[in-house]
């Protein structure tokens, strides 16, 4: 009997030794020495993190820190800005334990510990997108930034750690995100209609934001629009009270902030909103999600059908008789895009691979994506997207 008890105790000790606490797990990897040093400067916050259970921590590697030169994050670290750093680190802590084998080829949106409403005016906390692309585990965050896992499945007593090669970017508000992505017509229109502040501060929204070419293609219809007409037009692009990622979309009708209905369709794997096609889905913003579309929606033409012709360029049919302007409207005073970035293939699609698989716009899962594309980046430049854009929320 005594030898049996001793054997059980030895087995228990072995199991305990294999389950490290957070400090030991971080110290076990030479890739995490910088993160360990930063966390040691905030003992109270770190103690709370160490006591968390059922979490997945996306731990930035030393290589991720090397990318912070001249960034606001590096400035926050240097000045011991606890508020900024706690928000940033909380965004790297996912609710739930996710082994690498649980991250699938169809992306999922996972809630995080970032619940500070300055950065996450969204029910259940800010999200991060997770995707397994041919065995490469990647997490997408604000402005379609991507972080790849360099070492997966480091287990500790509170859950699991995945080491990532780039810090996540907490999502910015809609105006800042649209400006950063070069959607200057939408930014200028929101400013002219004095809607930017209201839209940026609304909770739980899904916004369909047209590209500049879409505004330009109906320029003649916008020249003499009154303030009330422009306001109604823009509000017709927003679904309030719902955060819907691409795979939540099914063939359905939803009510907009303006009051009229939008018709959502999934055809051949592509998502359409009235006549417009979603060309860049799932841009995470501080209060929900943005889907970039190729046409301006008309609240007075709610029955418009999509043009599924693969050679179609811009969906302008909702404004009968409208002609193109010589330049994109509403862009005066809005920073001009200075460069372009490649939108990650996992965050971009003319249609999401999982489109239409959800339960409607009341749920919170994600669709996949197809080809990569390019989009203009605002005046802050591609190099500043990572560290600077989210500070504007």
């Amino acid at each position: 009997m005594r030898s049996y008890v001793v054997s059980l105790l030895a087995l228990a000790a072995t199991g305990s030794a294999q389950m490290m606490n957070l400090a030991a797990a971080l110290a076990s990897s030479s890739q995490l020495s910088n993160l360990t040093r930063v966390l040691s400067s905030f003992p109270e916050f770190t103690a709370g993190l160490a006591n968390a259970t059922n979490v997945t921590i996306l731990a930035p590697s030393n290589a991720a820190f090397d990318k912070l030169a001249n960034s606001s994050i590096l400035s926050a670290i240097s000045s011991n800005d606890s508020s900024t750093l706690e928000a940033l680190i909380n965004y790297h802590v996912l609710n739930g334990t996710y082994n690498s084998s649980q991250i699938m080829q169809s992306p999922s949106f996972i809630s995080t510990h970032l619940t500070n409403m300055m950065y996450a005016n969204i029910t259940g906390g800010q999200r991060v997108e997770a995707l397994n692309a041919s065995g490469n585990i990647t997490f997408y965050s604000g402005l379609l930034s991507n972080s790849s896992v360099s070492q997966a499945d480091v287990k500790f007593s509170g859950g699991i750690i995945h080491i990532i090669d780039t810090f996540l970017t907490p999502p910015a508000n809609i105006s800042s995100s649209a400006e950063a992505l070069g959607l200057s017509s939408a930014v200028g229109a929101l400013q002219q209609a004095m809607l930017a502040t209201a839209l940026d501060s609304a909770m739980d929204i899904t916004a369909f934001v047209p590209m500049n070419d879409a505004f330009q293609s109906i320029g003649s219809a916008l020249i003499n629009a009154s303030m009330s007409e422009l306001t109604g037009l823009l509000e017709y692009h927003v679904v309030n009270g719902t955060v819907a990622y691409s795979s939540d979309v099914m063939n359905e009708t939803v009510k907009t902030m303006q009051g009229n209905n939008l018709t959502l369709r999934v055809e051949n794997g592509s998502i359409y909103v009235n006549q417009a096609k979603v060309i860049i889905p799932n841009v995470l913003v501080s209060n929900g999600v943005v889907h970039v579309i190729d046409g301006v929606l008309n609240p007075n033409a709610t029955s418009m059908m999509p043009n599924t012709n693969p050679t179609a360029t811009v969906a302008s049919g909702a404004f009968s008789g409208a002609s193109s302007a010589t330049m994109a409207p509403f862009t005066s005073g809005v920073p001009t895009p200075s460069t372009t970035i490649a939108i990650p293939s996992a965050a971009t699609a003319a249609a999401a691979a999982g489109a239409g698989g959800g339960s409607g716009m009341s749920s919170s899962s994600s669709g996949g994506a197809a080809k990569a594309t390019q989009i203009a980046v605002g005046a802050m430049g591609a190099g500043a997207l990572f560290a600077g854009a989210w500070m504007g929320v």
Side-chain angles (χ1 to χ4, degrees), residues 273-290:
V273 189
N274 289 0
Q275 87 288 354
K277 187 177 187 178
V278 173
I279 56 173
I280 305 175
N282 304 324
V283 180
L284 303 180
V285 293
S286 58
N287 56 345
V289 66
V290 163

Side-chain angles (χ1 to χ4, degrees), residues 78-100:
S78 302
S79 61
N80 286 333
D81 181 351
S82 60
S83 176
T84 297
L85 285 173
E86 287 178 13
L88 178 65
I89 294 170
N90 275 328
Y91 190 45
H92 289 72
V93 182
L94 313 186
N95 292 308
T97 302
Y98 297 91
N99 296 306
S100 59

Side-chain angles (χ1 to χ4, degrees), residues 317-354:
F319 295 82
S320 178
S323 59
S324 178
T326 56
M327 61 179 294
F330 308 118
T331 56
S332 178
V334 179
T336 302
S338 58
T339 185
T340 58
I341 57 173
I343 302 299
S345 60
T348 289

Side-chain angles (χ1 to χ4, degrees), residues 104-245:
M104 311 305 291
Q105 292 184 9
S106 295
S108 58
F109 281 70
I110 303 172
S111 65
T112 71
H113 278 208
L114 181 54
T115 57
N116 183 330
M117 291 186 67
M118 184 176 181
Y119 310 100
N121 192 11
I122 179 173
T123 301
Q126 191 52 262
R127 277 13 177 227
V128 65
E129 181 182 4
L131 174 72
N132 183 339
S134 301
N136 297 316
I137 309 298
T138 304
F139 292 90
Y140 294 89
S141 52
L143 296 173
L144 304 174
S145 301
N146 65 92
S147 304
S148 298
V149 172
S150 56
Q151 182 179 344
D153 302 330
V154 179
K155 296 181 180 179
F156 75 106
S157 55
I160 201 161
I161 296 170
H162 301 304
I163 301 176
I164 56 176
D165 66 353
T166 305
F167 276 83
L168 300 176
T169 300
N173 61 35
I174 289 179
S175 296
S176 296
S177 297
E179 181 179 319
L181 294 175
L183 302 172
S184 49
S185 285
V187 173
L190 287 171
Q191 293 173 349
Q192 185 167 317
M194 294 186 290
L195 277 176
T197 299
L199 190 58
D200 289 341
S201 60
M203 185 175 187
D204 289 340
I205 68 167
T206 300
F208 299 96
V209 179
M211 296 190 73
N212 286 2
D213 287 352
F215 280 99
Q216 185 172 349
S217 71
I218 60 161
S220 67
L222 300 173
I223 292 174
N224 298 316
S226 67
M227 179 71 79
S228 63
E229 288 171 337
L230 181 58
T231 298
L233 176 76
L234 295 173
E235 288 182 341
Y236 186 59
H237 290 72
V238 180
V239 179
N240 201 13
T242 296
V243 180
Y245 305 104

